Amino acid sequence: GREAYIAELQDMIAQFPNTPEETRAREIMRFLQGDAGAFDSFRGTIDVDKFVPEDDRMHYVIVVLNNADKVSLNDAQISIANFNQRYYQLSGLRISNHFLNTETNTPLILIRSFNNKTQAMRYLTDANSLSEEFLPENALFEIYPITQRNYREVLRDRNTHSYKVFFENHYKTASNRR
């Protein structure tokens, strides 16, 4: 049934973080949970040249909540705060929110700050492997480490399409080499 299929997709996401399989499983889950545009391709321009690799600079982690109609922004923030309290209590992380796109009411949660790419990637790995603790059940989200400069570009674009390509090329390939 549908619920069992979703449960298996969630297991796959937990078992294979930061892989193409995880990305595809998230798309399928979004579709099954009512996001008719889950498989739509982006029709805008992808421009990765505006993003700059700054591995040793301060990083944030952004979380884009793709189904805010089913999981409230407030519940998501509380869940992330609890996650941070449990696993990152001594890190002094702060949480704020913005709307990535006000036309589609796509919320973005900003978690700051990390000293460098390595620390932000560690957080990303923990959040993906402990996704059931990181966000409420049924939350469909994208999570990215990002520098302050690149974060401003994402806000200017009002979407993460270009940054996702940059992330796949710069962050994922570096983390997969270990």
Side-chain angles (χ1 to χ4, degrees):
R2 180 183 147 121
E3 286 76 25
Y5 190 63
I6 290 173
E8 290 299 319
L9 288 170
Q10 289 171 330
D11 287 345
M12 185 172 192
I13 289 167
Q15 289 177 8
F16 302 101
N18 302 322
T19 64
E21 290 80 7
E22 176 211 14
T23 303
R24 187 67 172 163
R26 285 191 187 280
E27 289 172 345
I28 294 168
M29 276 184 48
R30 284 179 40 208
F31 179 75
L32 290 173
Q33 293 175 332
D35 183 357
F39 298 112
D40 290 351
S41 60
F42 178 62
R43 289 171 179 46
T45 304
I46 299 293
D47 179 14
V48 295
D49 294 334
K50 64 183 156 194
F51 299 112
V52 178
E54 300 174 300
D55 296 352
D56 295 327
R57 301 290 304 252
M58 179 182 67
H59 273 66
Y60 303 147
V61 170
I62 57 172
V63 179
V64 179
L65 192 59
N66 289 316
N67 63 337
D69 57 328
K70 297 201 178 2
V71 177
S72 78
L73 176 59
N74 190 45
D75 289 346
Q77 284 187 280
I78 290 169
S79 186
I80 291 172
N82 291 339
F83 177 85
N84 290 347
Q85 180 68 26
R86 173 176 264 167
Y87 298 105
Y88 287 87
Q89 183 176 16
L90 301 177
S91 297
L93 299 175
R94 295 182 308 257
I95 301 171
S96 60
N97 67 57
H98 305 278
F99 279 91
L100 181 61
N101 188 330
T102 53
E103 293 170 9
T104 59
N105 288 325
T106 305
L108 177 142
I109 300 169
L110 177 68
I111 304 161
R112 55 190 171 116
S113 49
F114 301 88
N115 291 332
N116 54 40
K117 171 185 168 180
T118 303
Q119 288 182 355
M121 287 298 290
R122 186 175 304 123
Y123 186 90
L124 170 99
T125 301
D126 290 346
N128 280 329
S129 65
L130 299 167
S131 61
E132 67 283 347
E133 294 180 59
F134 183 65
L135 282 172
E137 188 177 354
N138 300 326
L140 301 175
F141 65 97
E142 300 169 50
I143 181 170
Y144 304 104
I146 192 168
T147 61
Q148 187 175 20
R149 174 187 293 183
N150 292 337
Y151 175 65
R152 284 192 296 263
E153 291 296 332
V154 166
L155 289 180
R156 197 170 294 132
D157 286 352
R158 297 172 41 175
N159 67 61
T160 57
H161 298 293
S162 292
Y163 188 75
K164 183 177 183 176
V165 174
F166 173 80
F167 172 78
E168 296 284 336
N169 292 332
H170 180 68
Y171 286 83
K172 280 198 169 182
T173 54
S175 66
N176 289 340
R177 286 187 202 139
R178 293 182 208 169

